[in-house]
Amino acid sequence: MTGDAGQLYGAVEGGGTKFVCLVGRAPDAVVADTSFSTTTPEATLGQAAQFFRTEQAGGRTLAAIGVGTFGPVDLQRGSPTWGYITTTPKPGWTNVDVAGYLHRTLGVPVAFDTDVNAAALGEWRWGAARGLDSFLYLTVGTGIGGGGVVGGQLLHGLVHPEIGHLRVPHDREADPFAGACPFHGDCLEGLASGPALRARWGRPPESLPADHPAWPLEARYLALALVNLVCTVSPQRLVVGGGVMRQPQLFPLIRNQVRALLNGYVRAPEIIDRIDGYIVAPGLGGRSGVLGALALAAAIGGD
Amino acid sequence: MTGDAGQLYGAVEGGGTKFVCLVGRAPDAVVADTSFSTTTPEATLGQAAQFFRTEQAGGRTLAAIGVGTFGPVDLQRGSPTWGYITTTPKPGWTNVDVAGYLHRTLGVPVAFDTDVNAAALGEWRWGAARGLDSFLYLTVGTGIGGGGVVGGQLLHGLVHPEIGHLRVPHDREADPFAGACPFHGDCLEGLASGPALRARWGRPPESLPADHPAWPLEARYLALALVNLVCTVSPQRLVVGGGVMRQPQLFPLIRNQVRALLNGYVRAPEIIDRIDGYIVAPGLGGRSGVLGALALAAAIGGD
């Protein structure tokens, strides 16, 4: 569905640092977009609603709005807190009814999922995972999160994946940094998120040179996590995005470590012979999340 | 499907130590069974074929045979080595055409999967995971393996899960044991399988008393793995079986560690309030594998 045909949808990518909103039909048919800092829930959700209300007032009918936000969130249909951000460590954002607020304010159906499941859906519909039956998406930035498709469906289950909170080996002699996660200390996010890099090395990660020892260590933790994903789900591809992954030296380091860690045990030519196509960057670049929210909306809106 | 109604199926659970075979329709409708030691592929598969040939000669028509074996195995439909055990460290069993041999010898359709996916299917159809949309099964014995159902389908993907080879934190000061996995050293199987327990403590695990420090350490490694499964797949239940789990003190130790490690982050009442029903023993006891193989056969045989 491209061009002028088909219904218009709204999309919200709710991140811990900024919100991105758009109105459109597909990646090449976006008619309006905006982004703004994440502050209080009232101000931030109010600003999102205002953007869509302005579009509606201009005559654009939105068939549905898709929302992917940071979490944890409640995805249990029938739960009284469905559509809420629940126990997030982000101050002020605990138990916030994101989906309900947008639905009540804008009067359109709202599809709701985690930011990473939305991004995974975007990559599946229009990006680096098109046509696959099973893949996982990992984003490495302010936080670390993951989602994906297994057996042709978005991963949900009991709650939703929390791949950032995987426990991985941490050699405290080689890396005495205790970890930055307020819940788990040295889980994956505690060791390898952007803020963990900044706390360990005392400077912003983007200022660390490409040959800094930070990067092989970062690649090691991410590779340990990817190996665990391969051993659990056996995905057909791993898509890895997020701000930290903008360091181009990381991909080859990670691929080499994954291959070394698996040590030939998982006998798939995709891993042994063609790992460059197995561990890949998002096809939609930084737009996976908001375009995935658009795909969420389209999924309930009839497209 | 119980009692005398319906077709008869053959089932093979191929383990690293023994093979179990049966002919039947359902857990309460087994008409013949046998088990024997795993020796060479020729002798062992020959003995399985002989068991079914005797049943066929006695007038029992098998609609299909289901096989769940130790791995790694090739499950890729269309692959020239579909139905093979591939890179197993078990001497003599590399590149053995298990499904093809039984199909050619017995002249019936053969369904083929890993022993743990078969056991997961058995638990899903008749055991502790009936009616769930998503659960994982872990077996802890001579090896450690896992499988499960996600979105109502057995987990396959690129190859199949290899949950025994997850990397988990290993505090070498508290536990200097280097790990027993020939591929990965201190992966989960290298730290927590039966042979790892025996090598670490210098005696068979079943001879270690219930208050031995071996058990809290074992529970710690298994809990770290289960936490990683929860964070990756968000299953609705975890079923944990295998010889090592016959130590009744392990379940409470594991449940406490899982709750402590998650530290309230995954806000599901199933984990926070009702973990006794979340991490459970197999409903089919030691028969999950062979009954799962029966379910595999029934799935291609029309039941």
Side-chain angles (χ1 to χ4, degrees):
Chain A
M1 182 79 47
T2 58
D4 284 345
Q7 312 204 70
L8 276 176
Y9 300 101
V12 179
E13 180 188 15
T17 310
K18 69 174 179 173
F19 267 56
V20 182
C21 302
L22 63 76
V23 168
R25 298 179 176 92
D28 59 354
V30 171
V31 300
D33 61 6
T34 184
S35 72
F36 41 88
S37 295
T38 308
T39 58
T40 64
E42 296 71 26
T44 313
L45 295 177
Q47 206 164 345
Q50 189 52 51
F51 166 73
F52 293 116
R53 255 197 312 256
T54 304
E55 293 297 312
Q56 287 175 319
R60 289 187 168 132
T61 301
L62 304 179
I65 292 179
V67 181
T69 80
F70 65 90
V73 299
D74 186 347
L75 300 180
Q76 203 78 48
R77 273 282 173 194
S79 156
T81 54
W82 175 86
Y84 279 53
I85 293 176
T86 59
T87 50
T88 177
K90 189 168 175 65
W93 282 82
T94 303
N95 294 320
V96 170
D97 180 11
V98 177
Y101 170 79
L102 292 172
H103 172 63
R104 284 190 305 273
T105 310
L106 300 166
V108 295
V110 173
F112 183 75
D113 215 313
T114 64
D115 47 1
V116 281
N117 261 341
L121 186 65
E123 288 296 317
W124 195 41
R125 180 144 185 196
W126 292 305
R130 257 181 295 182
L132 297 181
D133 185 60
S134 145
F135 82 100
L136 294 177
Y137 170 85
L138 190 74
T139 175
V140 187
T142 309
I144 298 185
V149 165
V150 172
Q153 295 172 59
L154 271 183
L155 258 178
H156 286 132
L158 186 66
V159 190
H160 53 72
E162 282 292 356
I163 294 175
H165 299 273
L166 285 180
R167 295 316 223 284
V168 293
H170 172 201
D171 179 346
R172 283 170 190 268
E173 247 171 80
D175 174 25
F177 180 63
C181 174
F183 284 86
H184 311 121
D186 64 349
C187 65
L188 177 64
E189 180 169 298
L191 291 170
S193 66
L197 279 164
R198 178 189 288 256
R200 181 188 289 110
W201 302 106
R203 47 197 275 205
E206 57 277 18
S207 76
L208 296 164
D211 61 353
H212 193 279
W215 301 119
L217 185 67
E218 178 73 5
R220 171 90 186 162
Y221 292 130
L222 295 176
L224 284 162
L226 295 181
V227 159
N228 283 355
L229 301 183
V230 168
C231 288
T232 304
V233 169
S234 197
Q236 293 167 317
R237 193 166 294 154
L238 294 163
V239 180
V240 190
V244 170
M245 294 304 299
R246 282 187 209 123
Q247 302 290 327
Q249 69 277 16
L250 271 175
F251 273 101
L253 290 169
I254 291 169
R255 291 179 186 127
N256 287 342
Q257 289 264 12
V258 165
R259 218 159 24 187
L261 284 163
L262 287 172
N263 195 21
Y265 190 73
V266 175
R267 293 277 281 214
E270 289 83 351
I271 296 175
I272 291 173
D273 306 324
R274 304 193 292 269
I275 200 163
D276 287 6
Y278 186 69
I279 300 174
V280 302
L284 302 173
R287 299 205 309 158
S288 318
V290 70
L291 291 173
L294 192 70
L296 276 175
I300 64 163
D303 260 4
Chain B
M1 181 77 47
T2 59
D4 284 345
Q7 312 203 72
L8 276 177
Y9 300 101
V12 179
E13 180 189 13
T17 310
K18 69 174 180 172
F19 266 57
V20 182
C21 302
L22 63 76
V23 169
R25 297 179 178 91
D28 59 355
V30 171
V31 301
D33 61 7
T34 185
S35 73
F36 41 87
S37 295
T38 308
T39 57
T40 64
E42 296 72 24
T44 312
L45 295 177
Q47 209 165 342
Q50 189 53 50
F51 166 72
F52 292 116
R53 256 199 310 257
T54 304
E55 293 298 311
Q56 288 175 318
R60 290 188 166 130
T61 302
L62 305 179
I65 292 178
V67 181
T69 80
F70 65 91
V73 298
D74 185 347
L75 301 179
Q76 203 78 49
R77 274 283 174 195
S79 156
T81 55
W82 175 86
Y84 280 53
I85 293 175
T86 59
T87 51
T88 178
K90 190 169 174 66
W93 282 82
T94 302
N95 295 321
V96 170
D97 180 11
V98 177
Y101 170 79
L102 292 172
H103 173 63
R104 284 189 305 273
T105 310
L106 300 166
V108 296
V110 172
F112 183 77
D113 216 313
T114 65
D115 46 2
V116 282
N117 261 342
L121 186 65
E123 288 296 317
W124 194 42
R125 179 142 185 197
W126 293 305
R130 259 181 296 182
L132 298 181
D133 186 60
S134 143
F135 82 100
L136 293 177
Y137 170 86
L138 190 74
T139 177
V140 188
T142 309
I144 297 184
V149 166
V150 172
Q153 295 172 57
L154 272 183
L155 259 180
H156 285 133
L158 185 65
V159 190
H160 53 72
E162 282 292 356
I163 294 176
H165 299 271
L166 285 180
R167 294 317 222 284
V168 292
H170 172 201
D171 178 348
R172 284 170 189 266
E173 248 172 78
D175 173 26
F177 179 63
C181 173
F183 284 86
H184 311 120
D186 64 348
C187 65
L188 177 65
E189 181 169 297
L191 291 170
S193 66
L197 279 164
R198 179 189 287 258
R200 181 188 289 111
W201 302 104
R203 47 197 276 205
E206 57 276 19
S207 75
L208 296 165
D211 60 354
H212 192 281
W215 302 119
L217 185 68
E218 178 73 5
R220 172 92 187 159
Y221 291 129
L222 295 176
L224 284 161
L226 294 181
V227 159
N228 283 356
L229 301 183
V230 168
C231 289
T232 304
V233 169
S234 197
Q236 292 167 316
R237 192 166 294 155
L238 294 163
V239 180
V240 190
V244 170
M245 293 304 299
R246 282 185 210 125
Q247 303 289 327
Q249 69 277 15
L250 272 176
F251 273 101
L253 291 169
I254 290 169
R255 291 179 186 128
N256 287 341
Q257 290 263 13
V258 164
R259 216 157 28 184
L261 284 163
L262 286 172
N263 194 22
Y265 191 74
V266 175
R267 293 276 282 213
E270 289 83 351
I271 294 173
I272 291 173
D273 306 323
R274 302 193 294 269
I275 199 165
D276 287 6
Y278 187 69
I279 300 175
V280 303
L284 303 174
R287 300 206 306 160
S288 319
V290 70
L291 291 172
L294 192 70
L296 276 175
I300 63 162
D303 261 3

